[in-house]
Amino acid sequence: MSLLAGTDTRTPAPQATEEFAARFGVALDDFFRTRPDVDAARELAGEVRALVLAGGKRMRPAFAWWGWRAAGGEACGDAAEATVRALVSLELLQCCALVHDDVMDRSATRRGRPAVHEAFAARHRRHRWSGSARHHGDCAAILVGDLALAWADDALVTAGLPAAALRRAWRPWQEMRTEMMAGQHLDLLATARREGSLEAALRVASLKTAAYTVERPLHLGAALADAPADLIGCLREFGRDIGVAFQLRDDLIGVFGDGAVTGKPVGEDLREGKRTPLMAIAVARATAAGDHAARRTLLRCLTGVPITDETVAAVRALLVDLGAVEAVERLIDTLTASGLAALDRAAVDEVARTHLKRLAARAVHRRD
């Protein structure tokens, strides 16, 4: 049984969650309303705004907010309002990551709508412009992601933070951006080198997703509140483990999720040949069992060649039969336990601890 069993994963303390969501929504709207209006950039800006406002779990700013609160940051007042505005940066950083990731993975959809590169490519074809529609779409999407990254910096530095707070936040912000890019690079290398070890896959998960989803947002929020080093250490350890568990859950959803809920086709991770811990475990188990047919079927999904619906169904069945799904669930539980133990060592009040546990439950038990 999960250590977070019984925790309401849908509404982490409803009133406080709704209050923060409302305040954050206002901050997002205010930020977009004050962006420079440059004619040539309007299409790019529109894509950033549409993707950010299309949905998403807002998990990164939520973790950062409760990192702020855990370190003694007040719920209301000028400092709190500046902090909320600063956390808009995290959604823009996420937008950059999603747009560029979709180009690299050749993903067709994102949040139930065409991926940015697909939207621009379709426009190119519709107007019968010269050159390659695919190349045009990729180039435009790179610019959209770059604009989101530039605006992420803008959101942080123009939020009205005191100079001292901005200086404290700048280091985790720098590290988070670099770690995110490093994780994506490792992911590209793993595919090119056909690396299939669980260790390599978990390293990618830690840098590509966990660091900028949970660990560094917590660090950012706590730094803004001038948290002591020992508290930041506990929060980062909690965030690192919960962040990897979040990615492992994402891997399961990417294979077994409901497309109507996720906004992506069923089994898209398999079609994209993602080298996830889930697949690493399955290949290792098939190899150890001497099941060459199962190993060939699994490896076919990692070569980048087009695969059929029948292959997707066969691989999904193998992931269950080989015990890979069960092994990932156990790993999620192990990481959750380790993360919660780190949080229990942190000197935070019970309100913040409760909210962080609820956010952790939401991260590791979600379905979208």
Side-chain angles (χ1 to χ4, degrees), residues 301-322:
C301 288
L302 301 177
T303 60
V305 300
I307 61 174
T308 65
D309 291 344
E310 290 73 18
T311 301
V312 170
V315 170
R316 282 158 57 111
L318 283 172
L319 292 172
V320 175
D321 294 343
L322 289 166

Side-chain angles (χ1 to χ4, degrees), residues 48-56 58 110-111 113:
V48 174
R49 189 179 191 279
L51 183 57
V52 171
L53 299 181
R58 307 291 190 237
R110 172 65 65 179
R111 293 178 176 171
R113 62 195 296 269

Side-chain angles (χ1 to χ4, degrees), residues 108-132:
T109 60
R110 172 65 65 179
R111 293 178 176 171
R113 62 195 296 269
V116 171
H117 65 282
E118 290 288 348
F120 277 100
R123 184 168 179 255
H124 184 286
R125 287 190 290 268
R126 190 166 59 251
H127 290 286
R128 298 183 179 181
W129 290 337
S130 66
S132 164

Side-chain angles (χ1 to χ4, degrees), residues 102-308:
D102 284 345
V103 172
M104 287 182 267
D105 289 343
R106 308 313 312 170
S107 297
T109 60
R110 172 65 65 179
R111 293 178 176 171
R113 62 195 296 269
V116 171
H117 65 282
E118 290 288 348
F120 277 100
R123 184 168 179 255
H124 184 286
R125 287 190 290 268
R126 190 166 59 251
H127 290 286
R128 298 183 179 181
W129 290 337
S130 66
S132 164
R134 173 171 169 167
H135 180 69
H136 175 84
D138 289 352
C139 291
I142 290 169
L143 293 174
V144 169
D146 289 349
L147 182 61
L149 182 59
W151 280 2
D153 283 344
D154 290 351
L156 183 63
V157 301
T158 64
L161 295 166
L166 182 57
R167 282 195 299 271
R168 291 192 300 269
W170 197 247
R171 182 172 179 181
W173 177 250
Q174 288 178 308
E175 290 171 340
M176 176 167 51
R177 291 177 304 173
T178 303
E179 287 163 352
M180 185 183 78
M181 304 301 178
Q184 186 67 67
H185 180 56
L186 286 180
D187 197 17
L188 289 172
L189 287 176
T191 299
R193 295 170 176 172
R194 298 183 179 179
E195 294 174 351
S197 72
L198 177 59
E199 180 182 8
L202 287 173
R203 177 63 172 159
V204 171
S206 179
L207 282 175
K208 182 180 175 181
T209 302
Y212 93 102
T213 298
V214 187
E215 180 188 352
R216 291 300 186 183
L218 282 167
H219 186 182
L220 182 71
L224 285 170
D226 200 13
D230 57 344
L231 175 56
I232 287 176
C234 288
L235 290 175
R236 286 188 60 191
E237 185 178 345
F238 163 71
R240 189 159 46 246
D241 289 343
I242 296 300
V244 175
F246 170 91
Q247 180 57 55
L248 292 173
R249 177 62 61 199
D250 200 61
D251 294 341
L252 291 172
I253 292 170
V255 175
F256 296 98
D258 182 349
V261 176
T262 65
K264 282 182 166 286
V266 173
E268 184 170 57
D269 281 6
L270 297 178
R271 299 179 191 280
E272 293 175 356
K274 290 191 175 181
R275 293 178 175 268
T276 63
L278 175 66
M279 289 294 284
I281 291 170
V283 171
R285 290 187 171 215
T287 302
D291 191 337
H292 303 299
R295 188 173 186 275
R296 282 194 300 271
T297 300
L298 292 167
L299 290 178
R300 181 169 176 76
C301 288
L302 301 177
T303 60
V305 300
I307 61 174
T308 65

Side-chain angles (χ1 to χ4, degrees), residues 5-57:
T7 301
D8 185 349
T9 64
R10 297 165 302 170
T11 54
Q15 183 176 359
T17 300
E18 292 169 7
E19 288 175 356
F20 173 72
R23 293 165 69 181
F24 187 75
V26 170
L28 271 177
D29 289 341
D30 287 346
F31 178 82
F32 283 122
R33 191 173 58 252
T34 58
R35 289 309 85 210
D37 185 14
V38 179
D39 286 348
R42 282 178 184 164
E43 290 180 338
L44 307 179
E47 288 294 329
V48 174
R49 189 179 191 279
L51 183 57
V52 171
L53 299 181
K57 292 170 277 296

